[in-house]
Amino acid sequence: MAEVYKNFIDGEWVESSSGETYENRNPANWDEVIGIFQRSTKEDVNAAIEAAQRAYKKWRLVPAPKRAEIIFKAAQMIVERKEELAKDMTREMGKILPETRGDVQEAIDMSFFIAGEGRRLYGFTTPSELPLKFQMSIRIPMGVAAIITPWNFPMAIPSWKIIPALVAGNTVVFKPATDTPLSAYNFVKILEEAGVPKGVINFVTGSGGVVGEALISHPYVKIISFTGSSEVGKHIGSKGASLFKKVSLEMGGKNAQIVMDDANLELAVDGATWGGFGTTGQRCTATSRVIVHKKVYKQFLDMFVERAKALKVGNGLDPSTDVGPLINEAQMNKVLSYIEIGKQEGAKLLLGGFRLTGGDYDKGWFVAPTIFADVDPDMRIAQEEIFGPVVSVIPADSLEHAIEIANNSKYGLSSSIYTNDVKNAFIAIRDIYTGITYVNAPTIGAEVHLPFGGVNQTGNGHREGGHTVIDIFTEWKSVYIDFSSRLQRAQIDTDKIVKVEE
Ligand code: NAP
Ligand code: MG
């Protein structure tokens, strides 16, 4: 019998008031139940938010370096448990073990990096236009942070949000994706064991429609940090705006890799294969378009198909597997329907294009790595996020043409260019409109200490990762301290300097 996992509210592990639960199953083997989780209600969310609101009164006054000490400890605990955490994650959501180890490593890196902020959280000072006056701008915490995350990075993404929220002095209510509550539970459990005080981190599992909605509407919630689809992000953004909440959104992508005629084609194929089919294409930064200079188009395609054909699809715990399953049946059906759309639109299917069946495949949601060639940049498969192992290859006449195609997207997260000409590289860096550009590397592979996020419908102007994430989880307060012992009026008392000298 699978273990039953509870919500974490006000320092206690508790069942949902609904009395209902749901099963978390392995997408590589649907017979395997990973755990039973709470199907929570609005009442559960309200209890968690109230606990977080109460805990905030004390937590905000704990010195930031002390708050960070707990996070350093948690990071160390994740290091010690890395392998079991990665295995749980592979069983829960399918990606291969080297990738789930990477996901856990990202949570470690983020925790160490942001715990360091406990001794920074820099503000600034600046001179006054008036004499005998000091001024500075400091960061202040906000209150209760609502954290809503997707299933594709089940520990990394929660860590990008929860760790900076806590170090900055906020308290948290965390709703993980319905598909990946175990990795979220593991993360929260470690924070508890590391010593995060009661009520400071709360964890409520359940659906976006119930738990998510209750979170984004509650008056105590000051900041909503969301990663997921642009569709849900748009809804959360509008709702948050109507309630005057700060909302940070990280959403979809349709990332392009450009391959120039002077590129190292072996390297470019390595990049497209890893970027396109790593995590089964289920990364916000996945390479879903490869734009290839016409002079090397045919050669690149031959090499790319050859390489992708050799990928082994299967259970992510098997060391010989390159590509795991899709997260669930609905996502698999979505991917298969996009493959049909691609065919109908007239793109040339060069590889894959079907569900894998027979033997163990029948128990999971496996789709063969799929490559479309001769894709028109305006086709739906070149415009809409598929979030699966499907790559569209598009020919281009020149660098300018390739960049124009890359920028022809409603998204703008990541991009990449393969070239051995430094001029091409710098023009691409200048002209591609995305939040991230890689040179001679795939569209995936962000590091935690650089700002992460995108333009257009990928984001709403915030950047996670880097020092910029602190801007999401703090407000600025400007402080003016007048020690002149008289009323000084900024912008009006322009003759003050003279008076002081008298
Ligand atoms: P999703 O369907 O938008 O769900 C994301 C989260 O929002 C889940 O926890 C979901 O809960 C919750 N949610 C759904 N409806 C809600 C509502 N009405 N109110 C509040 N919360 C709600 O996205 P997904 O399918 O999990 O993840 C895939 C998407 O995430 C892709 O579009 C991908 O590009 C994007 N992504 C972006 C980044 C980035 O940093 N830019 C990173 C990773 C993924 P349930 O699980 O219960 O539905
Ligand atoms: Mg699952």
Side-chain angles (χ1 to χ4, degrees):
M1 186 59 196
E3 189 173 340
V4 178
Y5 295 88
K6 296 179 181 172
N7 289 333
F8 191 54
I9 298 175
D10 208 12
E12 305 284 337
W13 292 96
V14 291
E15 284 173 9
S16 165
S17 59
S18 70
E20 288 175 28
T21 55
Y22 73 94
E23 289 175 345
N24 176 13
R25 287 175 180 257
N26 182 343
N29 175 10
W30 199 240
D31 290 342
E32 188 187 348
V33 179
I34 308 294
I36 312 279
F37 289 84
Q38 304 300 312
R39 192 183 292 284
S40 308
T41 61
K42 187 176 179 182
E43 288 66 41
D44 301 325
V45 173
N46 288 349
I49 294 174
E50 282 157 25
Q53 176 80 351
R54 283 194 300 274
Y56 176 64
K57 293 197 177 89
K58 283 191 186 163
W59 182 244
R60 73 185 185 90
L61 300 178
V62 174
K66 291 281 167 209
R67 295 194 294 251
E69 269 175 30
I70 302 173
I71 302 304
F72 277 122
K73 192 167 170 206
Q76 196 52 46
M77 290 165 68
I78 306 174
V79 170
E80 282 151 23
R81 299 185 197 172
K82 181 171 169 182
E83 195 59 19
E84 57 179 290
L85 295 171
K87 280 192 181 136
D88 274 356
M89 195 185 292
T90 292
R91 287 170 59 229
E92 169 169 70
M93 59 74 71
K95 65 185 173 186
I96 60 173
L97 205 46
E99 289 193 43
T100 52
R101 288 187 192 118
D103 192 303
V104 175
Q105 185 59 44
E106 215 165 292
I108 295 167
D109 296 341
M110 193 65 186
S111 300
F112 279 126
F113 171 57
I114 292 294
E117 279 297 321
R119 288 187 184 270
R120 284 187 294 269
L121 290 178
Y122 292 139
F124 59 90
T125 63
T126 185
S128 169
E129 66 191 40
L130 295 168
L132 301 173
K133 197 175 166 213
F134 178 84
Q135 47 204 27
M136 62 185 166
S137 223
I138 59 170
R139 294 177 181 279
I140 55 170
M142 300 174 66
V144 180
I147 308 292
I148 301 175
T149 55
W151 43 263
N152 63 339
F153 281 86
M155 194 170 293
I157 292 179
S159 79
W160 294 356
K161 301 173 184 300
I162 292 171
I163 298 300
L166 294 181
V167 170
N170 305 286
T171 54
V172 166
V173 181
F174 170 31
K175 182 213 119 45
T178 296
D179 282 306
T180 50
L182 178 59
S183 297
Y185 164 88
N186 286 340
F187 187 57
V188 171
K189 186 84 185 136
I190 285 173
L191 290 173
E192 180 201 13
E193 287 175 23
V196 172
K198 148 182 144 85
V200 172
I201 171 89
N202 301 273
F203 169 71
V204 184
T205 56
S207 73
V210 176
V211 175
E213 285 293 333
L215 263 176
I216 63 174
S217 318
H218 198 289
Y220 287 170
V221 169
K222 287 285 199 304
I223 156 89
I224 303 167
S225 173
F226 166 84
T227 297
S229 61
S230 296
E231 193 188 356
V232 174
K234 181 179 176 181
H235 165 69
I236 293 178
S238 322
K239 180 87 196 185
S242 73
L243 297 170
F244 299 97
K245 295 183 189 306
K246 192 171 179 182
V247 181
S248 166
L249 305 170
E250 293 285 353
M251 299 165 290
K254 191 71 193 173
N255 314 290
Q257 170 183 319
I258 293 174
V259 182
M260 288 304 293
D261 52 346
D262 57 46
N264 174 338
L265 286 191
E266 282 291 338
L267 196 63
V269 168
D270 282 347
T273 308
W274 173 229
F277 302 115
T279 324
T280 323
Q282 302 173 111
R283 286 195 190 214
C284 49
T285 52
T287 309
S288 53
R289 299 178 293 157
V290 182
I291 304 165
V292 186
H293 194 283
K294 61 185 178 192
K295 282 192 193 153
V296 291
Y297 184 70
K298 174 82 180 61
Q299 197 188 347
F300 175 86
L301 273 179
D302 290 346
M303 291 166 69
F304 186 33
V305 168
E306 197 59 32
R307 183 76 56 88
K309 205 188 273 178
L311 292 172
K312 185 167 174 284
V313 182
N315 189 316
L317 288 178
D318 178 343
S320 68
T321 298
D322 299 303
V323 178
L326 290 153
I327 183 69
N328 55 38
E329 189 175 15
Q331 190 59 29
M332 179 187 71
N333 288 333
K334 182 180 163 197
V335 170
L336 293 172
S337 80
Y338 269 108
I339 291 169
E340 284 315 305
I341 289 168
K343 288 194 237 170
Q344 279 161 24
E345 287 179 309
K348 201 158 132 197
L349 181 63
L350 290 189
L351 183 71
F354 50 86
R355 179 181 181 181
L356 290 159
T357 51
D360 287 346
Y361 284 141
D362 288 340
K363 291 183 174 179
W365 318 120
F366 296 98
V367 172
T370 298
I371 297 176
F372 280 108
D374 301 352
V375 175
D376 183 281
D378 289 322
M379 286 179 183
R380 285 184 63 193
I381 55 166
Q383 288 291 328
E384 299 173 20
E385 186 181 49
I386 300 173
F387 227 56
V390 181
V391 177
S392 294
V393 186
I394 306 170
D397 299 332
S398 62
L399 177 63
E400 288 64 35
H401 187 212
I403 292 173
E404 188 188 310
I405 295 168
N407 284 341
N408 173 13
S409 174
K410 63 181 177 183
Y411 298 109
L413 182 53
S414 185
S415 56
S416 132
I417 179 166
Y418 281 78
T419 178
N420 279 321
D421 184 337
V422 72
K423 198 171 138 206
N424 288 341
F426 273 91
I427 289 173
I429 293 166
R430 186 191 67 190
D431 292 346
I432 300 178
Y433 188 55
T434 52
I436 305 169
T437 296
Y438 293 89
V439 177
N440 292 330
T443 60
I444 65 179
E447 299 183 30
V448 300
H449 52 299
L450 274 78
F452 180 92
V455 302
N456 298 333
Q457 294 182 23
T458 295
N460 65 339
H462 298 279
R463 288 292 181 275
E464 296 188 329
H467 62 284
T468 45
V469 70
I470 300 299
D471 288 331
I472 297 177
F473 290 103
T474 56
E475 290 284 6
W476 281 106
K477 174 180 278 192
S478 293
V479 182
Y480 300 90
I481 303 153
D482 190 320
F483 52 102
S484 70
S485 303
R486 60 172 168 256
L487 175 67
Q488 300 197 88
R489 293 163 297 181
Q491 289 97 31
I492 293 170
D493 291 348
T494 49
D495 57 345
K496 271 291 172 293
I497 305 288
V498 179
K499 284 187 179 164
V500 166
E501 283 170 351
E502 276 163 5

